[in-house]
Amino acid sequence: MPIDILMPALSPTMEEGKLSKWLKKEGDTVTSGDVLAEIETDKATMEVEAVDEGTIGKIVVPEGTEGVKVNSVIAVLLGEGESADAAAAAPAKAEEPAKAEEPAKAEDARSEQEQPAAKQTVPAAPKAEIAADPDIPAGTEMVTMTVREALRDAMAEEMRRSPDVFVMGEEVAEYQGAYKVTQGLLEEFGPRRVVDTPITEHGFAGVGVGAAMTGLRPIVEFMTFNFAMQAIDQILNSAAKTLYMSGGQMGAPMVFRGPSGAASRVAAQHSQCYAAWYSHIPGLKVVMPYTAADAKGLLKAAIRDPNPVIFLENEILYGHTFEVPKLEDFLLPIGKARVHKKGKDVTLVSFGIGMNYTVKAEAELAKLGIDAEIIDLRTIRPMDIPTVVESVKKTGRCVTIEEGYPQSSVGTEIATRVMQEAFDYLDAPILTIAGKDVPMPYAANLEKLALPSVQEIVDAVKAVTYTA
Amino acid sequence: MATRAKKSPARSAQTSAVKAPKPAEFTKDQELEAYRHMLLIRRFEEKAGQLYGMGFIGGFCHLYIGQEAVVTGMQMSLKDGDQVITGYRDHGHMLACGMSARGVMAELTGRRGGLSKGKGGSMHMFSKEKHFYGGHGIVGAQVSLGTGLAFANRYRGNDNVSLAYFGDGAANQGQVYESFNMAALWKLPVIYIIENNRYAMGTSVSRASAETDFSRRGISFNIPGFQVDGMDVRAVNAAGDEAVAWARAGKGPIILEMQTYRYRGHSMSDPAKYRTKDEVQKMRSDHDPIEQVKNRLVEKGWSTEDDLKKIDKEVRDVVADAADFAQSDPEPDASELYTDILL
């Protein structure tokens, strides 16, 4: 069978081009890789190489022809023992390629393929059923501990449980952690599993992802998430997307953890909340706990999770103490919000350090006779909107509280979703309290102004409950 | 300072202890194996180029034509369980690892039978079974990831090595040196293979690199390296054997600069105006990796023209079958849109 040589496309958007020059003539023998012709578009000139071997039987489109449609026959190649007569059977219409409206064979094949696709509708995003928190058996001993200790215990327990779990990062081993979160781990697990890295975030994040792709379970500690900006390509493009790009063959079962958000007086480059940033990315889970119990239960769950989990801690919260149930294996579900305090007049939604302002504001509101319900989101992605919606259906009012920047914030996401899912239940606009839209200033007074305040929350609640 | 002065001579001695090995003569079987593998990559890529021209393949398509000896020679130095990772010019690496021509081609056309179910495309394919870890589109990212593969081998205490391929362009990315540092510090069994095809997209090596001898890029980290004729599969294989032995023995990372050449543009839409036709033609006529093997096979009387034609026919059949499959296999079901995002 003679082989049709077709006008190639230089890019998926090219529709036609000029056949500027033939470098072979009829009767010439060609082998794979030989340059047959040059074609030109408004953007580039390209060579057409032979893919098959044979003899040029017929040149269908003469050089200098403009507007040659992609996939129209430009020449006919004869195999061994084939005659030019066979080539004569080539479609004569191709001599006026600019007018060739009949699609070439390949286009036929393609459009057939695309037809079913055109009828396809966007499938619904799957809804994951997330279990409720486990019941704490009556009589369970509660231990008072700091968030820092809870995080350390979570890692130690999971490292005892699985030899595939290891922790790596700057100063995690011999220095015992820049914020002492990894204290004691080196002594118990040794340098093979508690790995001090050089100051090289982009590099060690990539090393962690590579190790995770083989099935190990790295915990990559960033001294702060501000420094993870250097590594964000590996987090997004390698860790979050590999499972999808590989058609489910391999992913990155790992945890990236460390403090996020403002500490105190460390200025613009060290004071930024990353909750909204990472919550934008499909393929990641994003956790930001407030209490020590949540920190422990959720970090243990994150380490066991087969997906990459961003675990956002807070330097100020590290030293806060909470009650943690003394249980053999205390795990909490990622993706489930916790009703921190029940109430009926307004729903306050917060997470992480934002909860610090929220619980104080709730106490102030109680004095004013306002009974606020507090929802601690705990996980930013997947976001437990049903719990928020249920609450808003009861209270009719909602205020969100976070330290991050106001535009495209976690609060604006909550406001959008609640507006869409519970519009008829709302008695007032949803207000979103966030950090101010400025780089974090250093001066003590300006820093205080840049962060949310208890008074702002109280004022917002008064506004939405029309009690101002 | 005193410590540094003391350490210095010993270190440079180690770095210079590794010399590029002389290419060993191949046996008949090795020549035939190399011929068949390189030819498969060549014919596959030509067909991919053709399907791209016909609109069956979308987006980016970076062909490996001209560089076939690099992956072919390196793969002949590996044992089962050794891992491979590379950038976006990856079709040749996947075929060399033994991934199916049908699976690769159907991924290029975005069909459900593609190695990533049509969700990855030309730049993103993986195979757990063949220990191929992608297929990465961010220039240089595979170097840190490949170092992580080696980290995992050392963590598990096995004797596997990882090969991290990257180009002369990627060699200027910062994370490459972050990885070099950690690999040397922790003596990780990783072989960094710099495929120097002389052009980072349209920028020649001399216009982008202050140090154009890429084998020296590890000197600051005490990583040995040497330059290899990447057009001669025997030279590649000899270098591969040496490097793999070095890494497997626990001596740490090593760098191989493969001096190679891509015949085609950076991607399908690159007219390659930054180099002369003569330069390309000279490489093709004087240094073609496949012609070199073919000539030796014929000169030594190991194969007749007919024998080689038979191999050519078999390879063409594999490629034609892959192309047919890739055009007839259905696109992924719409329900695949939301799968494989989270486990």
Side-chain angles (χ1 to χ4, degrees):
Chain A
M1 270 290 286
I3 297 165
D4 289 341
I5 298 171
L6 307 177
M7 180 71 172
L10 306 185
S11 73
T13 51
M14 174 179 160
E15 289 172 2
E16 59 177 42
K18 177 182 176 182
L19 204 165
S20 41
K21 194 175 171 191
W22 277 106
L23 296 157
K24 297 281 177 188
K25 54 186 191 302
E26 289 179 2
D28 281 359
T29 308
V30 296
T31 56
S32 306
D34 284 354
V35 178
L36 300 176
E38 282 176 8
I39 57 173
E40 224 175 284
T41 67
D42 52 345
K43 279 180 279 189
T45 305
M46 288 280 287
E47 292 169 342
V48 182
E49 287 183 11
V51 177
D52 303 289
E53 289 176 344
T55 309
I56 301 282
K58 186 173 171 59
I59 286 177
V60 180
V61 177
E63 64 181 26
T65 310
E66 307 252 9
V68 183
K69 296 277 186 220
V70 165
N71 277 334
S72 56
V73 179
I74 55 173
V76 179
L77 192 69
L78 303 175
E80 255 179 86
E82 288 173 348
S83 74
D85 295 343
K93 65 171 167 44
E95 279 170 20
E96 290 174 65
K99 287 184 194 165
E101 278 168 25
E102 271 183 62
K105 256 191 288 179
E107 276 184 338
D108 272 346
R110 199 167 186 216
S111 55
E112 270 168 34
Q113 282 299 331
E114 280 180 353
Q115 271 165 4
K119 285 182 209 147
Q120 287 174 349
T121 48
V122 180
K127 286 199 173 63
E129 285 297 320
I130 297 165
D133 284 21
D135 291 328
I136 309 285
T140 299
E141 186 192 342
M142 298 302 278
V143 184
T144 303
M145 64 169 75
T146 61
V147 171
R148 174 183 288 116
E149 290 162 338
L151 292 167
R152 191 263 326 273
D153 287 357
M155 285 189 281
E157 286 179 23
E158 292 306 301
M159 288 175 79
R160 279 173 214 136
R161 182 176 170 271
S162 166
D164 287 343
V165 179
F166 66 95
V167 58
M168 69 190 299
E170 293 155 9
E171 310 290 8
V172 297
E174 298 200 3
Y175 193 88
Q176 305 290 320
Y179 296 105
K180 300 289 176 280
V181 177
T182 53
Q183 191 147 34
L185 296 183
L186 174 67
E187 285 64 30
E188 181 174 353
F189 300 102
R192 175 174 161 271
R193 298 181 66 196
V194 185
V195 184
D196 272 330
T197 65
I199 301 171
T200 184
E201 284 86 6
H202 195 182
F204 73 69
V207 168
V209 177
M213 285 166 74
T214 74
L216 293 180
R217 299 285 181 132
I219 304 167
V220 172
E221 176 177 307
F222 292 115
M223 195 180 289
T224 89
F225 264 91
N226 299 288
F227 310 151
M229 291 290 274
Q230 302 238 29
I232 203 162
D233 170 64
Q234 289 289 4
I235 300 171
L236 269 53
N237 276 316
S238 301
K241 296 178 185 173
T242 295
L243 186 69
Y244 199 78
M245 296 192 302
S246 71
Q249 282 192 73
M250 60 179 79
M254 65 193 300
V255 177
F256 298 97
R257 52 154 290 272
S260 159
S264 179
R265 309 291 310 281
V266 292
Q269 293 182 337
H270 286 67
S271 308
Q272 182 159 314
C273 176
Y274 287 91
W277 281 70
Y278 290 107
S279 81
H280 193 59
I281 308 301
L284 291 180
K285 291 187 177 181
V286 183
V287 177
M288 189 159 160
Y290 166 56
T291 69
D294 286 350
K296 183 174 183 189
L298 287 167
L299 182 54
K300 279 168 67 74
I303 294 167
R304 282 188 213 181
D305 199 285
N307 302 289
V309 181
I310 305 290
F311 199 90
L312 302 170
E313 302 159 7
N314 185 278
E315 197 188 322
I316 291 166
L317 289 180
Y318 280 148
H320 284 216
T321 52
F322 296 88
E323 304 262 275
V324 178
K326 192 174 180 182
L327 290 168
E328 188 74 14
D329 200 17
F330 178 60
L331 285 161
L332 288 171
I334 293 174
K336 202 80 183 168
R338 178 174 53 80
V339 179
H340 186 80
K341 188 243 156 200
K342 283 200 178 297
K344 61 176 176 26
D345 296 332
V346 60
T347 302
L348 304 180
V349 188
S350 190
F351 51 92
I353 185 78
M355 284 291 291
N356 220 16
Y357 306 95
T358 308
V359 293
K360 286 177 190 158
E362 189 276 329
E364 292 300 313
L365 291 166
K367 289 180 201 162
L368 302 171
I370 297 172
D371 181 15
E373 178 149 305
I374 301 177
I375 294 176
D376 180 354
L377 218 47
R378 301 194 297 189
T379 301
I380 315 300
R381 183 187 185 92
M383 197 181 278
D384 185 3
I385 289 296
T387 295
V388 179
V389 165
E390 275 316 298
S391 175
V392 171
K393 281 180 178 176
K394 183 174 64 178
T395 63
R397 297 161 167 91
C398 183
V399 174
T400 67
I401 302 99
E402 69 194 296
E403 273 196 354
Y405 300 132
Q407 181 165 330
S408 306
S409 65
V410 176
T412 58
E413 172 70 13
I414 294 167
T416 303
R417 305 266 294 268
V418 171
M419 181 270 289
Q420 289 167 350
E421 294 178 35
F423 184 75
D424 292 340
Y425 295 87
L426 286 171
D427 294 322
I430 298 168
L431 295 184
T432 56
I433 308 255
K436 306 306 177 293
D437 206 9
V438 297
M440 186 62 76
Y442 168 71
N445 64 325
L446 295 182
E447 183 188 62
K448 205 168 174 210
L449 291 172
L451 291 165
S453 68
V454 171
Q455 192 56 50
E456 282 172 349
I457 303 170
V458 170
D459 291 346
V461 169
K462 281 181 176 175
V464 299
T465 52
Y466 307 111
T467 51
Chain B
M1 282 311 279
T3 334
R4 239 166 127 190
K6 235 190 272 171
K7 272 186 177 171
S8 238
R11 286 191 162 192
S12 53
Q14 193 207 355
T15 313
S16 60
V18 185
K19 289 262 187 287
K22 290 227 154 40
E25 288 297 313
F26 268 10
T27 63
K28 179 185 171 186
D29 285 349
Q30 283 177 307
E31 295 280 26
L32 283 169
E33 185 190 347
Y35 182 71
R36 185 182 290 272
H37 284 150
M38 290 195 290
L39 202 61
L40 175 65
I41 296 170
R42 176 76 52 96
R43 296 287 171 258
F44 182 96
E45 293 289 64
E46 286 167 353
K47 182 58 86 179
Q50 188 186 37
L51 292 181
Y52 189 92
M54 291 160 74
F56 277 102
I57 297 171
F60 297 127
C61 187
H62 309 92
L63 302 182
Y64 198 62
I65 296 174
Q67 301 180 215
E68 297 91 343
V70 178
V71 287
T72 304
M74 284 307 301
Q75 202 64 28
M76 291 167 82
S77 298
L78 299 185
K79 72 169 190 178
D80 189 45
D82 292 340
Q83 302 125 327
V84 172
I85 190 165
T86 188
Y88 49 76
R89 195 177 305 285
D90 54 1
H91 313 159
H93 301 71
M94 295 183 286
L95 294 172
C97 285
M99 290 157 73
S100 84
R102 273 187 169 206
V104 181
M105 197 69 95
E107 190 60 37
L108 296 183
T109 55
R111 304 305 169 94
R112 66 179 60 171
L115 283 160
S116 296
K117 302 186 203 165
K119 292 154 81 167
S122 165
M123 298 182 286
H124 309 301
M125 280 175 253
F126 303 78
S127 171
K128 209 163 215 175
E129 185 200 346
K130 304 290 183 190
H131 309 285
F132 181 75
Y133 286 84
H136 296 270
I138 305 298
V139 175
Q142 75 273 25
V143 182
S144 308
L145 297 169
T147 306
L149 299 175
F151 180 95
N153 290 333
R154 202 201 56 161
Y155 186 90
R156 292 192 167 99
N158 64 35
D159 72 342
N160 282 120
V161 301
S162 76
L163 304 189
Y165 289 90
F166 54 106
D168 47 279
N172 292 326
Q173 284 279 27
Q175 65 179 312
V176 169
Y177 299 91
E178 298 188 27
S179 302
F180 282 2
N181 183 45
M182 283 180 280
L185 189 66
W186 300 332
K187 289 210 177 310
L188 301 181
V190 52
I191 296 151
Y192 297 112
I193 301 157
I194 304 177
E195 296 195 66
N196 177 4
N197 66 16
R198 301 196 198 178
Y199 297 92
M201 202 168 152
T203 304
S204 68
V205 157
S206 59
R207 292 204 303 125
S209 293
E211 168 59 274
T212 57
D213 179 346
F214 291 95
S215 71
R216 290 164 49 83
R217 289 292 183 101
I219 285 178
S220 299
F221 310 96
N222 197 29
I223 303 176
F226 44 83
Q227 294 182 311
V228 183
D229 176 0
M231 304 302 277
D232 180 351
V233 69
R234 300 169 306 170
V236 173
N237 181 237
D241 285 348
E242 179 100 2
V244 167
W246 173 274
R248 225 189 279 294
K251 294 178 185 172
I254 186 165
I255 294 168
L256 303 179
E257 179 194 340
M258 297 291 175
Q259 297 181 312
T260 183
Y261 200 79
R262 74 168 144 73
Y263 296 173
R264 299 293 191 97
H266 161 73
S267 66
M268 292 303 296
S269 53
D270 169 16
K273 290 289 183 206
Y274 42 81
R275 60 187 185 189
T276 64
K277 280 182 187 166
D278 285 351
E279 178 184 305
V280 182
Q281 200 44 51
K282 198 166 163 47
M283 287 304 289
R284 295 179 84 131
S285 54
D286 299 353
H287 300 283
D288 188 78
I290 300 175
E291 286 299 312
Q292 288 186 45
V293 179
K294 188 176 177 179
N295 291 342
R296 287 197 300 269
L297 280 165
V298 174
E299 276 165 21
K300 290 185 176 165
W302 284 342
S303 302
T304 63
E305 287 284 351
D306 279 348
D307 294 338
L308 297 176
K309 263 199 177 147
K310 190 165 161 274
I311 295 175
D312 207 16
K313 167 92 172 57
E314 286 163 7
V315 166
R316 275 181 193 282
D317 288 348
V318 170
V319 172
D321 170 72
D324 288 346
F325 176 72
Q327 290 168 79
S328 59
D329 192 43
E331 288 183 317
D333 192 80
S335 64
E336 284 291 343
L337 184 65
Y338 280 110
T339 59
D340 306 321
I341 297 168
L342 292 173
L343 283 171

